[in-house]
Amino acid sequence: MSKITRPLRSALYIPGSKPRALDKARSLPCDAIIFDLEDAVSPDEKSAARATLAGALGEGGYGARLKVIRINALDTEWGKDDAQAARDMDADAILLPKVGSPADLEALAEIVGDRPLWAMMETPGAMLNAPAIAAHRSLQAMVMGTNDLAKDLQTRFRADRLPLMTGLGLCVLAAKAHGCAIVDGVYNAFKDDEGLRAECDQGRDMGFDGKTLIHPAQLEVANAAFSPTEEEADLARRQIAAYEEVIASGQSVAVVDGKIVENLHVATARETLAKLEAIAALSAE
Ligand SMILES: CC(C)(COP(=O)(O)OP(=O)(O)OC[C@H]1O[C@@H](n2cnc3c(N)ncnc32)[C@H](O)[C@@H]1OP(=O)(O)O)[C@@H](O)C(=O)NCCC(=O)NCCSC(=O)C[C@H](O)C(=O)O
Ligand SMILES: [Mg+2]
């Protein structure tokens, strides 16, 4: 069971320094907003961005969207001030970049208390320490930082992300083992819908809950890719019905479309329908 039960199909980064984008986000169809104080904000704008973000969150208006603040790492000149400021802002979680071990999360927890934490998974060390990071008591979600990971691994870009697969897989395993949500990395070419769709589909197939995004134009593709399809919903309903029928007749295995359906498949089918309901509830707000 995941520590976050609401949909996380789309998590849009918004530079904390851009009032227009901060305002626009109040009407965008994203499941989560990552208010960024790190890479999307230049060094000379860092402290002004902190104040701008505090103002925007104080004003509110972000509705049911999950609000996450990405601070700078604690070993930077801005990290501690960011953490103290974020502690007092109206947000659902604080996202720490460049997490290397649970000690990094512990250092943040010392400043922000029991606020829920998210971790950027974006270094080779983080991939190797993923299970220990996922086990931290305050951690609710992992976010892949595929740009930083590719940089540290000195990989070349490949559409199939083969060089990143080991890291992505390790983080998915660690997150699932500890009930954390996990959101895939960004797709930099924000005008390339086909490339984005392919990467979202790959992430969905791997078990990611959703995708981090850098531009509003990417929302529709990600929301669709991480929503159950009509065919999946129809199959789920038929599996549940067929299984209930065989159980009533004293058996334990049904067959639907030539494939066996056991209690574990029914659990997945129920999750599919629950996810659809959660998405519908979000859209209705
Ligand atoms: C990529 C951008 C710099 C493009 O900006 P811009 O040229 O302004 O785009 P548009 O003119 O097409 O914008 C149209 C309108 O949409 C608003 N907008 C744009 N981006 C966003 C956004 N992210 N959230 C909300 N609203 C947004 C504009 O304000 C326009 O609005 P309006 O004028 O009212 O029509 C820009 O999109 C951008 O800065 N994106 C975010 C970049 C970012 O956050 N980067 C850091 C996160 S990624 C990362 O760090 C990766 C990770 O750590 C890793 O290691 O992989
Ligand atoms: Mg990064």
Side-chain angles (χ1 to χ4, degrees):
M1 179 71 173
S2 177
K3 292 174 191 167
I4 300 179
T5 51
R6 12 195 318 193
L8 276 178
R9 300 165 298 166
S10 49
L12 178 65
Y13 282 103
I14 303 191
S17 54
K18 291 193 177 168
R20 202 173 167 84
L22 288 169
D23 185 40
K24 196 178 179 78
R26 294 187 169 98
S27 60
L28 292 172
C30 48
D31 292 347
I33 300 173
I34 301 178
F35 297 98
D36 195 19
L37 296 173
E38 201 217 13
D39 286 349
V41 177
S42 65
D44 55 345
E45 287 181 309
K46 295 277 188 196
S47 75
R50 219 179 277 137
T52 303
L53 178 56
L57 285 169
E59 213 177 297
Y62 292 102
R65 298 163 191 84
L66 207 66
K67 294 170 289 185
V68 181
I69 301 171
R70 183 167 78 166
I71 64 172
N72 287 280
L74 293 180
D75 61 0
T76 67
E77 63 184 279
W78 312 283
K80 285 206 174 88
D81 289 343
D82 283 353
Q84 280 160 356
R87 179 189 56 203
D88 299 330
M89 291 186 212
D90 174 21
D92 298 293
I94 300 171
L95 171 58
L96 186 65
K98 318 281 182 332
V99 173
S101 74
D104 294 329
L105 294 173
E106 201 46 45
L108 179 56
E110 274 172 29
I111 301 173
V112 303
D114 58 3
R115 296 291 299 266
L117 304 183
W118 288 24
M120 289 299 305
M121 301 298 285
E122 52 186 354
T123 63
M127 303 302 108
L128 296 175
N129 288 334
I133 293 168
H136 190 277
R137 68 187 181 290
S138 296
L139 198 78
Q140 292 199 342
M142 290 180 156
V143 178
M144 298 309 305
T146 40
N147 282 296
D148 271 303
L149 187 58
K151 168 181 153 286
D152 283 6
L153 294 177
Q154 296 162 308
T155 65
R156 287 198 295 205
F157 173 82
R158 285 178 54 132
D160 64 4
R161 298 200 290 176
L162 186 65
L164 302 179
M165 271 306 145
T166 304
L168 294 172
L170 283 171
C171 291
V172 169
L173 287 171
K176 303 284 172 180
H178 292 279
C180 296
I182 181 158
V183 188
D184 202 354
V186 296
Y187 188 71
N188 295 346
F190 61 90
K191 294 183 179 164
D192 172 12
D193 282 358
E194 279 317 303
L196 173 64
R197 191 169 291 114
E199 207 170 280
C200 284
D201 286 344
Q202 183 193 51
R204 169 64 194 91
D205 288 347
M206 290 181 74
F208 284 98
D209 294 297
K211 187 122 180 111
T212 45
L213 308 170
I214 50 173
H215 193 280
Q218 298 182 308
L219 286 167
E220 194 178 330
V221 170
N223 283 340
F226 288 94
S227 297
T229 62
E230 265 311 309
E231 292 74 32
E232 285 168 338
D234 175 62
L235 176 62
R237 287 187 200 101
R238 289 187 296 118
Q239 286 177 321
I240 292 167
Y243 186 74
E244 282 173 356
E245 203 176 309
V246 297
I247 286 291
S249 67
Q251 298 163 60
S252 57
V253 183
V255 177
V256 172
D257 297 345
K259 296 180 190 136
I260 59 164
V261 177
E262 296 172 340
N263 54 354
L264 73 158
H265 303 112
V266 172
T268 303
R270 291 194 199 285
E271 278 172 19
T272 299
L273 298 183
K275 190 169 183 183
L276 269 182
E277 271 178 33
I279 291 168
L282 260 190
S283 322
E285 286 195 35

